[in-house]
């Protein structure tokens, strides 16, 4: 990612995304291995369940209101 952007970047992963990938099983073991890299920052989720789509939409919506 840093090579593509020509900049330092920190990838973030939420707990629910990690949980959803774990539930999907062996088919996604490469993705799990990548996101468990220590260079990825973990973001804790305050909601119940592991449905990642709603969590990510909520986070982006909140972040977009901080910009203005």
């Amino acid at each position: 990612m840093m090579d593509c952007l020509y900049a330092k970047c920190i990838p973030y992963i939420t707990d629910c995304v990690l949980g959803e990938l774990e539930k999907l099983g062996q088919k996604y073991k490469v993705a799990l291995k990548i996101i468990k890299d220590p260079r990825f920052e973990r973001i804790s989720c305050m909601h119940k369940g592991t449905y990642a789509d709603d969590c990510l939409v909520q986070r982006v919506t909140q972040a977009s209101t901080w910009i203005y």
Side-chain angles (χ1 to χ4, degrees), residues 10-57:
I10 301 170
Y12 288 89
I13 191 79
T14 63
D15 291 337
C16 58
V17 170
L18 179 63
E20 196 167 298
L21 276 173
E22 287 173 342
K23 279 199 287 187
L24 290 171
Q26 287 293 346
K27 190 174 179 181
Y28 295 93
K29 72 178 184 178
V30 174
L32 269 172
K33 192 172 191 174
I34 291 170
I35 66 172
K36 288 186 177 179
D37 187 298
R39 293 175 286 184
F40 277 65
E41 292 282 330
R42 293 280 298 277
I43 300 174
S44 298
C45 297
M46 299 300 191
H47 58 83
K48 292 184 178 181
T50 57
Y51 192 63
D53 294 347
D54 291 339
C55 177
L56 295 175
V57 168

